[in-house]
Structures are given as structure tokens and as C-alpha cells.
Amino acid sequence: MGSLVLTDLYASVITDDGELEIIKGVSLVIESGTTHAVMGPNGSGKSTLAYVIAGHPKYRVTSGSITLDGADVLGMSVDARARAGLFLAMQYPVEVPGVSVSNFLRTSVTAVRGEAPKLRTWVKEMKEAMGALQMDASFAERNVNEGFSGGEKKRHEILQLSLLNPKFAILDETDSGLDVDALRTVSEGVNAFRRQSDAGVLLITHYTRILQYIKPDFVHVFIDGRIVQSGGTDLANSLESEGYEQFAPASA
């Protein structure tokens, strides 16, 4: 069993006016094979938490630690974190003009696996993964995220997840901007990944609708840069009926 462990983590965003503390003492243990849902209102710091784990240079850890199977994540470069088994599906995937989806995915897989997959094997593997996400074969020749709809961008993120097969996946608001059909397809892609691997998943979301398809083992309420309460699916149901205001006093 592996683990991704955050211990008393504090982090700030670097701005033109100095540093602003966003993450304020987060401790969380994600074991292999478990799914954790982090839920909170806009501006609570959920996405910042995801970016800090992934190593975005805009954020600086001021205190605490992150370890992956006992190894110091904070001492790793961004690409080293990916090779160690961390994956981030971004809320707003960026466009990469001039780079096809096929080339991007094969280059990424080569970097993570340490060797390039044989072309014939790779084409079969990619087509099967795309088919599972109901993606047309022509998608592979398009430039990365250029002109993609919101649903296409999220399908592409889950396609990367499937092919890279990380130890721990951080899904930052994967349900954002998806219609009902796209949400179901993307969720099925995440569930297929969970079934075929022993990975841990950190699912960041505003709403409970994605939890109808992806069932978490643990739910955490995130307010003002802190986890203020943890529980199971009953906690998510409480958020659906009563909102986040019930937890506001706990963040003071």
C-alpha cells in the first residue's frame, strides 16, 4: 500500500504585492485504492491545494510537508513528481498549438514510463483508451486543447489519466462545465481507471452531482484554506441540503 501524505501544510500564492497565505495547516492521508472528495465554496483554496501538490511555481510552501510513499515531494521538480506517480487533471487545461494530441500523449507516456512505447502497440493502446471515452479517432490528430469544447478538454484529461496510470490522481473540478452526458462519460473513465489500478484519487469539486457517479470513501469540507470536517457520503448529502454556511464558524 502506498500513501500520499500532507502534514500541517501551509502555502502562499506569490503576487505582485507580495505573498498571500492560502493553505493554512492542511493534514491529509490518501492511501492507495481510496478516493477522497474535497468539497468547498469558490475561493476556499481547493485548486491551490491541487497546484501546490503538483508543484506549480506560482505557489510557495511555507511550512509542513508532502510525502509520496515516504519520499519528499517538495524536494522534487514538477516532472520528477509526475515520474514518481502524481497526476493533476486541471480545471482549465491549457492549449498547446502545433502539438498533436497523439504526439503529446506519446511524449508524456515516454517520460513517465522511461521508454517510448512501440508505435504499433501505442496506436492500439491509444485507440482503445479513446474508444472507452467515446472519442473519435480523428481527435488524436488535433492540436492539444485548441478549439476543444469543455467536455472534450475534460475527456482529454481523463485520457491522459488512463494512459499515464499514476499512483495518485488529483482531479481538480473535473465536473466543471460538463453537461449530463459528458459528466457520465468522464466519470465512467475515472471509475475504469480506479478498477484497473490501485491508485489513490483526490477529487476536488463544488457539487455533489459527480459523487453520484464517482463514490468517495472519504469526504472533506474545505473552508478558508483548511479542512474543517471529514466524514463519509452522509457529509456530502448534508452539503447538498444545507450548503457550506453551516461550517463557516469552524474556519474562524
Side-chain angles (χ1 to χ4, degrees), residues 202-232:
L202 178 60
L203 177 65
I204 294 172
T205 183
H206 290 295
Y207 307 110
T208 58
R209 64 174 191 156
I210 194 171
L211 304 187
Q212 298 173 22
Y213 302 102
I214 302 174
K215 303 297 184 182
D217 300 291
F218 305 95
V219 175
H220 309 279
V221 182
F222 204 81
I223 305 287
D224 191 29
R226 302 176 176 89
I227 293 174
V228 298
Q229 188 159 331
S230 299

Side-chain angles (χ1 to χ4, degrees), residues 127-153:
K127 284 185 175 180
E128 288 178 351
M130 290 174 64
L133 289 166
Q134 300 177 22
M135 300 170 72
D136 189 270
S138 62
F139 187 91
E141 302 311 314
R142 296 172 63 182
N143 290 339
V144 174
N145 293 324
E146 194 171 37
F148 286 16
S149 67
E152 287 174 331
K153 288 180 179 179

Side-chain angles (χ1 to χ4, degrees), residues 15 17 24 42 52 58 61 69 74 83 85 115 124 126-127 155 161 166 173-174 179 183 201 215 247:
T15 71
D17 298 323
K24 305 173 182 178
N42 283 327
V52 167
K58 183 178 178 181
V61 173
D69 296 342
L74 298 180
R83 288 195 297 271
E115 61 179 6
K124 181 176 184 293
M126 184 176 62
K127 284 185 175 180
R155 281 186 171 92
L161 173 68
E173 300 197 31
T174 298
D179 60 30
L183 175 63
V201 175
K215 303 297 184 182
F247 298 104

Side-chain angles (χ1 to χ4, degrees), residues 159-206:
L159 178 61
Q160 294 173 53
L161 173 68
S162 172
L163 292 170
L164 291 173
N165 193 30
K167 294 180 180 178
F168 291 91
I170 306 159
L171 310 180
D172 184 18
E173 300 197 31
T174 298
D175 52 342
S176 176
L178 298 182
D179 60 30
V180 174
D181 292 332
L183 175 63
R184 185 181 296 110
T185 299
V186 166
S187 297
E188 288 172 354
V190 174
N191 287 331
F193 165 72
R194 295 198 304 168
R195 287 192 298 270
Q196 72 186 16
S197 73
D198 193 34
V201 175
L202 178 60
L203 177 65
I204 294 172
T205 183
H206 290 295

Side-chain angles (χ1 to χ4, degrees), residues 11-21 60-62:
S12 300
V13 61
I14 301 171
T15 71
D16 293 337
D17 298 323
E19 292 191 19
L20 176 65
E21 188 173 69
R60 187 174 77 90
V61 173
T62 56

Side-chain angles (χ1 to χ4, degrees), residues 65-68 70-76:
S65 65
I66 304 174
T67 60
L68 173 59
D72 177 22
V73 170
L74 298 180
M76 300 179 187

